[in-house]
Amino acid sequence: MPILGPLGRRPAGTMLTAFTVLATAWLTPAAATPIPDSPTRTATTSDVWTVPSPENNKDQLTADVVRDDATGALTLTVRRGATDVLPDSPLGLRTKDADLTRGLEVLGRDDRRVHEKYAMTTGKQRRVDSPMTESRFALRGDGGVRMDLVVRVARDGVAFRYELPDSEGTVVTGEASGYRLPADAPAWLLPHTSWYEEVRTETTAGGAPADDYGYPALFELDTSTTGAKAADDGYVLLTEAGMDSTYPGSKLAHAAGSGAYDVALAEAEVVSPGDLATPWRTAIVGDLATVTESTLVSDLAPDAEFSDTSWIRPGTVSWSWLVEHDSPRDFERQKDYVDYAAEHGWEYTLVDEGWSREWVPELVRYARTKGVDILLWFRWWEVDTPQEMDTVFGELNDWGVKGVKVDFMNSGGGEPEGVGRHAWYEDVLAATAEHKLLVNFHGATLPKGLQRTWPHLMTYEAVRGHEYYSFGQALTPAYNTMLPFTRNVVGSADVTPGTFSMTNRTHSDAHELALPVVYESGLQHPADSPETYAALPGAERVLDQLPTVWDETRYLGGRPGDDAVLARRAGDRWFVGGIHAGAAGTAEVDLGRLGADDDRLLVELVTDGADGLARETRTVGGDARLTVPVAENGGFVALVCAAERGRTTCDEPVRTTPATALAITPATATVAPGDEIEVTGRFAAADGESATLRNVTLGARPRAGWTAAGEDVARPALRPGQALSANWTVRVPESAEPGYVDVPVVAEYRAPGAGPAEPRVHVEQAVRVLVAPPVPQGEAHVGDLHLLTATNGWGPVEVDTSVGDDGAGDGAPLTIGGTTYAKGLGAHAPSRVTVYLGGACTSFSAQVGVDDEVGDRGSVSFRVLGDDTELATTGTLRGTDAAQPVTADVTGVDLLTLEVADGGDGISYDHADWAEPKVTCG
């Protein structure tokens, strides 16, 4: 049964209704108690309505909605106790038909208490309980147009939004919304781009250059009565929440010299055919602990679109691209990363740009046998339409891939923060949920609450992360300390920490090791090689213990630009990460803030030592204050647990998957539609393993339309050395199209020590079946035959044109050395094309070379193979060379393969042509 409709996008005209129904569901009758409050008159002839604080609000936040009698304009003032922390924030909308920023009449006010209780699959805490008070102000403005202003006050901030109810449609041209900060307030700001990867810097609200700034924007406010800086000085973090495809994203427009930051929309007009509700303009307010621990962005988001999250598994991911850009093209190297993940109990391996559909299914089978799942990287335009999503994500399901990293949403046409792109985000999240695939958005907008609405959304980039080391742009220690208080507050951040081998890094190993604790991400990508980690056993030990799902998060100390110390709890263990920018010194860590019930705690501390990472163990009181030595630009990690009798470490055993073997026959088969294949399978638990496999099944799993006669076999237990065998007759449908089809044989079992909610281990091998196309006759051009495989280093293989750019059909005529050819294949190294000859042909010929469209920049070599045996090859050909003839005897060859390899000069303009490639057949 589908868990969702085909797509997640809501029609714009129904958005307000959908939200209203959801909001009603949040409330119990007791929670909807009206909040009495009447307007008060001030000396400036303004009306003031106060939205009070929810219960148990240590920061005593309130919000005043103020109407100026002279202009009819509204402003919002946020107070923390008796101090105005965000005074006189302007309010209002402008539409094509009405100016709703002044001349506003307040028709009425409705109050209620909203209590958000929900579970998260990612983030700072699994379960959230957030009370808020809400006031809805019904307004009438220009031409009698209705607008509602909705204000919410939470324990950790204040948010407001506008609703245009009962509307027949409108066009919004802008907002008056903005914030007014003291000009001398310290500020940590990010110049706005739609991918949020600029360098965040420390300045002041008034001293920042005139520019557009991206969310979240952090400001420090002096709320002391003495004028001296205090540890609990107020902070304000500005962002937006509750985004959907009815409204574009926004940014903060700032004029130099002032503390004014105004909301500017990414698109000049917002066309709504019906009811409209804007995103929440959100201010997280309080001390640094309140800001860092805030869940306000997800509190303001719609609840989850589906309830079955049993298939969603956050985890640690081995990932090769950062330190080895070409490795995702290398099947054998990817197996090394799978092996490392398996040995260390990591859940996933991500194969980034360059993977090939020729070998990914085999890699998935290899990984799953070891208890590791595969994630794959995509460009967003490869899954741009519902049809592409269904095709691509369905194929990933067939392969057994568990998630996607989708990239470059900041490019590719359209406004990257616009309504259209937000609609695409919703569509791809709905489609991946339908196909039960995890999602990682890269080159993306900022988290704005979608991780609550779509629980399989594990993380976003939207940050200058560790990939910039490979671009020669190192991250500074000061920058690192800003992220926990800014970017990571609003949602998971895929910074990809754990990169020890980058020589341009200026902070210490312990600082780097602390980053996966300090930065939260549902998928955490330690971004170094197996060999690097093997040389750092102290780092390996910490990384192997780190969860990626947290029960709660606590701020223990620090200030952006200087230090950050955070503690995160998973079960009964706390992980404390500290990072520092500046000279060596000490850090004070108050373990009492953890609120542990235990009188005695075991603390395992990893710091920078004289000869690398140093580890020590301490037993301390539950409310102890640790003094931790910190190196220059250093850091530390502490693992904290109850000091139980006999316990010497907080480490838990690293669980690995038992060795097994699945053998099948035949390995390959060539068939015609309607044929039958006899398949056998034998699954065994390896000798030497100490554990027994439980609930073991073995069966054939042919694709839809193919059938397997024969029953699954099962055994409640399989001891080491024991085996399970079965036979099946697989029938090829009469309608089968030519090409390769895998017929999987699958064994599944429950791993030793696995809990009931954990997925069973999946061991798979497949019969590689070729449904043969017709054999060629006479003289045939290769491009006119059925291409069984066609892979390229960039873009698709093109028939009768050059490879062009990365789209299908975008190449120019094939031209080598000034000669144009009508027929052929346009490739980009590395490339591999395979066609079926069926033993019916005798010779192959072609003219080969670098296409003229890249000038003298390309360098490639060509190779012809028959049934995987080399028949002909060229040396390296360059862009200045004329076409070279290639011939080969293909007598008796079933499969002809044409390969293009990179010439080895590191230049990526390797557009290679097979001009007039022909086979002569009898």
Side-chain angles (χ1 to χ4, degrees):
M1 177 183 294
I3 58 176
L4 296 169
L7 292 177
R9 189 185 312 176
R10 296 188 184 95
T14 65
M15 191 290 240
L16 183 61
T17 301
F19 178 84
T20 303
V21 170
L22 182 60
T24 301
W26 288 339
L27 297 174
T28 64
T33 305
I35 303 169
D37 186 50
S38 57
T40 58
R41 185 75 62 175
T42 70
T44 57
T45 67
S46 297
D47 291 327
V48 180
W49 294 265
T50 297
V51 185
S53 171
E55 298 173 355
N56 301 318
N57 182 358
K58 72 180 178 69
D59 285 308
Q60 298 180 320
L61 297 182
T62 56
D64 287 345
V65 175
V66 182
R67 179 186 177 276
D68 185 283
D69 285 351
T71 63
L74 295 182
T75 58
L76 181 74
T77 291
V78 176
R79 286 182 284 115
R80 184 178 178 224
T83 303
D84 291 351
V85 292
L86 269 180
D88 303 326
S89 298
L91 301 171
L93 283 178
R94 300 180 186 89
T95 75
K96 273 196 169 181
D97 299 322
D99 181 357
L100 301 176
T101 68
R102 56 192 297 113
L104 294 170
E105 179 185 358
V106 179
L107 303 178
R109 169 184 177 179
D110 288 325
D111 300 309
R112 64 173 186 157
R113 291 186 174 91
V114 178
H115 205 151
E116 296 289 333
K117 290 185 177 181
Y118 57 96
M120 293 285 289
T121 57
T122 60
K124 303 166 196 173
Q125 58 190 82
R126 288 176 187 261
R127 300 193 177 279
V128 180
D129 186 344
S130 179
M132 290 184 276
T133 57
E134 178 187 281
S135 292
R136 176 183 295 270
F137 297 90
L139 308 171
R140 182 166 57 205
D142 191 7
V145 174
R146 272 287 309 279
M147 179 179 74
D148 286 359
L149 168 68
V150 184
V151 180
R152 286 190 178 180
V153 178
R155 291 183 295 199
D156 49 354
V158 174
F160 65 90
R161 74 176 189 175
Y162 312 104
E163 297 180 8
L164 297 176
D166 304 322
S167 172
E168 296 180 358
T170 191
V171 178
V172 174
T173 58
E175 295 186 22
S177 312
Y179 306 95
R180 302 296 177 256
L181 286 308
D184 62 350
W188 292 266
L189 299 178
L190 177 77
H192 178 264
T193 64
S194 59
W195 56 101
Y196 296 88
E197 294 178 28
E198 296 303 307
V199 176
R200 188 177 294 274
T201 58
E202 183 172 358
T203 178
T204 62
D211 203 348
D212 291 335
Y213 291 95
Y215 301 118
L218 179 66
F219 302 88
E220 182 181 11
L221 307 175
D222 183 359
T223 57
S224 68
T225 58
T226 64
K229 288 290 183 182
D232 63 347
D233 273 354
Y235 286 78
V236 173
L237 187 77
L238 302 179
T239 190
E240 61 185 352
M243 289 293 303
D244 66 25
S245 58
T246 62
Y247 210 80
S250 67
K251 53 197 173 184
L252 294 172
H254 170 63
S258 78
Y261 288 79
D262 293 315
V263 173
L265 302 184
E267 293 179 309
E269 292 186 347
V270 184
V271 180
S272 174
D275 297 336
L276 177 67
T278 72
W280 293 97
R281 304 293 164 224
T282 305
I284 299 172
V285 180
D287 57 20
L288 272 182
T290 298
V291 170
T292 308
E293 298 167 15
S294 172
T295 59
L296 186 56
V297 168
S298 59
D299 296 344
L300 295 166
D303 210 352
E305 288 280 353
F306 56 90
S307 58
D308 177 17
T309 60
S310 60
W311 56 275
I312 298 171
R313 184 170 65 140
T316 302
V317 188
S318 65
W319 177 54
S320 68
W321 180 88
L322 180 56
V323 292
E324 303 169 355
H325 282 2
D326 291 334
S327 61
R329 304 179 187 279
D330 187 338
F331 171 60
E332 293 300 326
R333 186 55 172 157
Q334 291 308 298
K335 288 168 66 176
D336 292 340
Y337 279 82
V338 167
D339 290 344
Y340 187 84
E343 291 164 7
H344 293 269
W346 296 4
E347 289 82 359
Y348 299 101
T349 294
L350 167 65
V351 190
D352 213 286
E353 180 181 13
W355 60 268
S356 169
R357 65 192 319 277
E358 282 195 317
W359 50 257
V360 160
E362 184 179 349
L363 180 69
V364 173
R365 289 191 285 270
Y366 178 84
R368 295 180 81 180
T369 298
K370 295 172 174 287
V372 175
D373 283 314
I374 296 296
L375 313 173
L376 288 183
W377 175 93
F378 286 89
R379 303 171 186 91
W380 78 270
W381 51 87
E382 295 171 318
V383 286
D384 186 22
T385 67
Q387 294 75 22
E388 288 173 340
M389 293 176 199
D390 189 57
T391 299
V392 171
F393 298 153
E395 185 170 52
L396 298 189
N397 287 160
D398 291 341
W399 293 349
V401 171
K402 294 300 182 183
V404 292
K405 172 182 177 180
V406 192
D407 208 345
F408 299 132
M409 282 76 77
N410 57 294
S411 61
E415 168 51 55
E417 291 268 40
V419 167
R421 189 60 50 81
H422 282 289
W424 176 88
Y425 280 112
E426 292 178 3
D427 288 351
V428 80
L429 286 168
T432 48
E434 191 70 33
H435 290 277
K436 295 188 175 181
L437 296 168
L438 305 182
V439 176
N440 174 1
F441 282 137
H442 258 236
T445 188
L446 193 75
K448 298 172 184 179
L450 283 179
Q451 285 185 274
R452 175 185 177 185
T453 309
W454 298 98
H456 64 303
L457 174 51
M458 294 287 96
T459 193
Y460 291 75
E461 189 180 28
V463 68
R464 179 171 288 237
H466 278 44
E467 69 180 25
Y468 278 82
Y469 285 112
S470 67
F471 305 151
Q473 301 176 54
L475 310 182
T476 68
Y479 169 84
N480 290 343
T481 68
M482 296 178 193
L483 297 184
F485 308 115
T486 53
R487 165 62 182 85
N488 214 185
V489 171
V490 299
S492 296
D494 191 17
V495 185
T496 67
T499 315
F500 295 94
S501 63
M502 289 296 176
T503 57
N504 52 345
R505 179 166 53 89
T506 59
H507 56 262
S508 75
D509 282 356
H511 183 122
E512 185 68 23
L513 184 61
L515 294 179
V517 182
V518 174
Y519 301 152
E520 182 276 323
S521 181
L523 293 174
Q524 194 70 269
H525 295 78
D528 223 318
S529 68
E531 295 79 9
T532 294
Y533 289 133
L536 294 167
E540 274 189 320
R541 182 174 172 182
V542 172
L543 293 174
D544 290 352
Q545 294 296 314
L546 276 179
T548 59
V549 178
W550 304 105
D551 292 301
E552 59 180 309
T553 295
R554 298 280 176 88
Y555 163 84
L556 298 187
R559 182 179 184 274
D562 298 331
D563 309 270
V565 184
L566 272 71
R568 304 188 192 271
R569 181 177 65 82
D572 61 357
R573 299 189 299 169
W574 284 93
F575 294 79
V576 181
I579 57 176
H580 171 68
T586 59
E588 297 295 321
V589 180
D590 182 3
L591 296 181
R593 287 218 68 226
L594 304 182
D597 294 330
D598 305 286
D599 293 332
R600 303 292 290 170
L601 297 175
L602 183 66
V603 179
E604 295 184 82
L605 185 64
V606 181
T607 58
D608 293 298
D611 300 312
L613 293 173
R615 190 180 188 102
E616 65 170 299
T617 302
R618 306 178 188 179
T619 301
V620 300
D623 58 354
R625 297 183 66 91
L626 297 182
T627 300
V628 181
V630 180
E632 180 181 4
N633 296 326
F636 65 91
V637 175
L639 183 52
V640 182
C641 60
E644 299 169 347
R645 184 182 296 275
R647 190 175 196 173
T648 60
T649 179
C650 295
D651 287 354
E652 294 179 350
V654 175
R655 281 178 41 197
T656 58
T657 300
T660 59
L662 175 59
I664 62 170
T665 57
T668 62
T670 301
V671 300
D675 284 355
E676 291 184 344
I677 312 164
E678 297 300 321
V679 177
T680 65
R682 181 180 185 275
F683 177 68
D687 284 327
E689 288 286 345
S690 60
T692 296
L693 312 184
R694 302 289 179 184
N695 304 118
V696 185
T697 60
L698 178 65
R701 300 288 183 267
R703 69 191 301 176
W706 295 51
T707 59
E711 298 295 326
D712 287 5
V713 294
R715 183 175 292 179
L718 201 64
R719 295 181 178 85
Q722 291 183 325
L724 197 60
S725 299
N727 304 281
W728 307 271
T729 299
V730 176
R731 182 173 178 80
V732 183
E734 296 287 352
S735 59
E737 296 290 332
Y740 285 106
V741 176
D742 284 347
V743 177
V745 174
V746 174
E748 290 188 327
Y749 65 90
R750 189 161 301 287
E758 293 184 54
R760 298 205 301 164
V761 177
H762 179 106
V763 181
E764 178 179 313
Q765 296 293 337
V767 182
R768 184 71 162 160
V769 179
L770 171 60
V771 181
V775 296
Q777 301 292 323
E779 187 175 80
H781 282 275
V782 171
D784 294 336
L785 303 180
H786 184 93
L787 304 186
L788 297 174
T789 65
T791 62
N792 247 10
W794 176 255
V797 173
E798 301 282 8
V799 176
D800 299 337
T801 67
S802 69
V803 73
D805 205 342
D806 62 345
D810 60 4
L814 297 160
T815 306
I816 308 172
T819 301
T820 300
Y821 300 87
K823 304 286 288 182
L825 299 173
H828 187 299
S831 176
R832 182 180 174 92
V833 175
T834 303
V835 294
Y836 182 69
L837 304 184
C841 304
T842 57
S843 66
F844 166 82
S845 64
Q847 298 288 320
V848 300
V850 176
D851 194 276
D852 289 347
E853 68 187 354
V854 296
D856 61 358
R857 293 177 288 183
S859 63
V860 298
S861 62
F862 295 79
R863 193 162 74 128
V864 181
L865 299 95
D867 297 329
D868 290 330
T869 298
E870 185 178 287
L871 304 179
T873 187
T874 69
T876 298
L877 303 182
R878 303 186 184 280
T880 54
D881 295 335
Q884 179 173 320
V886 174
T887 61
D889 181 351
V890 295
T891 302
V893 168
D894 285 328
L895 296 174
L896 174 69
T897 299
L898 309 180
E899 288 187 348
V900 182
D902 181 5
D905 59 4
I907 296 175
S908 61
Y909 296 96
D910 292 329
H911 291 208
D913 295 341
W914 296 89
E916 300 293 335
K918 295 180 287 187
V919 289
T920 302
C921 308

